[in-house]
Amino acid sequence: MTVVNTILPFLAILFLLIVAHELGHYITAKLSGVKILEAGLGYPPRIWGFTWRGTVYSINWLPLGGFVRLLGEEDPSDPQSLAAKPRWIRLIVLASGAGMNFILPIFLFALAFMIPRQVSVGPPIINQVEAGSPAAQAGLQPGDIILQLNDEPVRNVQDASRLIRLNLGEEIAFTVKRAVFGGGSQTLTIPAHSRWAPPSGQGPTGIRIANLYPFTEAESFPPWEAIPKGWTATLDSLILARNQVISMFKGGSAPDVAGPVGIAQATGEVVKEAGWQTLLDFAALLSINLAIINILPLPMLDGGRIAFVLLEILRGGRRI
């Protein structure tokens, strides 16, 4: 795998996500009257910079994102410092970075929806039903063609898989078309439970599916349709992330965790297998993951600093 297909896309995504994150801190700090000492693209050592209205704007050698340095992040002695501001302002400034990483995926997904891409035609057909699984107990059978899940149309395997995993722990209404003996077909609605922790090798409902037709078609949407779809895709991604965590605590498989090298390799695989267009989806998912991780109450993250402000509120304003 070449550097162009692996390292460059990874650096571009990393740069975009971190700059968006720091832009959130920059905008809310400016609006709140917090003095910004420096706003930089990349990390030091510095290549070039200039000062405007008391803020140094710099371009730096390490192209791994950016940073915003605020006055008095822990020292309230200066009225323009972050620490001197009311607690609600500090919470907004500290949370705005993760907030930007939650907002950015809406536009990344929307942009992806506007770019033509090949989508499987489907519909999905059930090839196998595991013995003793919720699908088997409900009466789903091999050969059933899935038309809808919870009254939502299902076009292909990807739609079916997404809807099943969005509804973990719940009953899902499968609307299927089933061939009948002697010719013809009938449409049935069959409720099946979606398990939090299925046995290894089985899905939540215990079915294996494939697209009925091996065809694809080009699909794209105008901006006024793509933006609502981007919003929906972002919400779905958050629900899927939540369900993955709950599933892990209920005995399901743990999510895969990768460091920078693993993410770079995954980025290269996305480009190699699905092309540059799918990279937007991948960047949106990484942005959501970055937002979730950054908001965790760990000392080295924004979430840790937010936790200290919340403790200060509980202590009646006494600083820690």
Side-chain angles (χ1 to χ4, degrees):
M1 195 174 297
T2 66
V3 173
V4 173
N5 286 341
T6 303
I7 302 301
L8 292 184
F10 169 67
L11 291 179
I13 289 176
L14 187 64
F15 184 82
L16 173 65
L17 300 188
I18 296 179
V19 167
H21 180 97
E22 296 300 330
L23 184 61
H25 292 311
Y26 178 90
I27 292 173
T28 52
K30 275 289 189 184
L31 293 176
S32 303
V34 176
K35 183 175 178 59
I36 300 173
L37 299 177
E38 184 175 358
L41 292 177
Y43 294 115
R46 186 182 298 171
I47 301 174
W48 176 80
F50 67 95
T51 301
W52 185 61
R53 293 187 176 180
T55 299
V56 176
Y57 295 89
S58 63
I59 298 176
N60 303 278
W61 278 109
L62 298 179
L64 299 177
F67 66 93
V68 172
R69 189 158 56 91
L70 305 179
L71 173 66
E73 296 186 15
E74 305 298 338
D75 181 7
S77 59
D78 191 304
Q80 287 188 295
S81 67
L82 175 64
K85 298 300 179 182
R87 289 182 288 274
W88 67 272
I89 289 182
R90 281 185 277 155
L91 288 174
I92 291 175
V93 173
L94 292 173
S96 58
M100 284 292 285
N101 286 128
F102 279 123
I103 294 172
L104 179 63
I106 299 173
F107 298 97
L108 291 175
F109 279 128
L111 183 58
F113 280 120
M114 287 187 277
I115 299 174
R117 69 172 71 188
Q118 295 297 315
V119 178
S120 299
V121 174
I125 184 172
I126 299 176
N127 286 336
Q128 181 179 339
V129 179
E130 300 289 346
S133 67
Q137 296 171 6
L140 290 169
Q141 299 177 6
D144 286 347
I145 298 173
I146 302 175
L147 304 177
Q148 293 181 336
L149 292 175
N150 285 348
D151 296 325
E152 290 197 40
V154 176
R155 300 180 302 166
N156 48 43
V157 168
Q158 291 75 21
D159 282 354
S161 177
R162 175 178 57 84
L163 288 169
I164 289 172
R165 295 186 179 279
L166 281 172
N167 293 279
L168 291 180
E170 302 176 7
E171 294 285 326
I172 300 176
F174 282 74
T175 300
V176 300
K177 183 168 72 173
R178 177 177 296 172
V180 296
F181 184 75
S185 63
Q186 59 180 337
T187 300
L188 305 171
T189 299
I190 301 173
H193 183 69
S194 181
R195 299 171 290 188
W196 284 110
S200 179
Q202 294 189 22
T205 58
I207 60 174
R208 296 182 184 273
I209 56 179
N211 286 322
L212 182 61
Y213 307 115
F215 306 121
T216 62
E217 61 183 11
E219 179 183 81
S220 63
F221 298 91
W224 54 89
E225 293 182 23
I227 292 176
K229 285 182 173 291
W231 169 257
T232 301
T234 301
L235 289 181
D236 286 352
S237 298
L238 289 170
I239 294 172
L240 290 171
R242 180 206 65 182
N243 287 355
Q244 178 68 64
V245 173
I246 295 175
S247 176
M248 180 180 66
F249 282 105
K250 288 182 175 288
S253 59
D256 294 331
V257 179
V261 174
I263 296 174
Q265 291 174 338
T267 305
E269 290 295 332
V270 168
V271 174
K272 179 181 178 182
E273 298 296 330
W276 291 82
Q277 296 167 330
T278 312
L279 204 58
L280 291 170
D281 295 332
F282 187 65
L285 294 174
L286 283 180
S287 184
I288 291 171
N289 279 273
L290 177 62
I292 293 172
I293 291 173
N294 194 262
I295 210 70
L296 294 177
L298 300 176
M300 71 288 296
L301 303 175
D302 289 339
R305 300 171 68 189
I306 290 171
F308 279 111
V309 177
L310 294 176
L311 284 173
E312 182 182 320
I313 294 172
L314 294 175
R315 286 161 52 90
R318 288 179 295 161
R319 293 180 183 270
I320 298 176

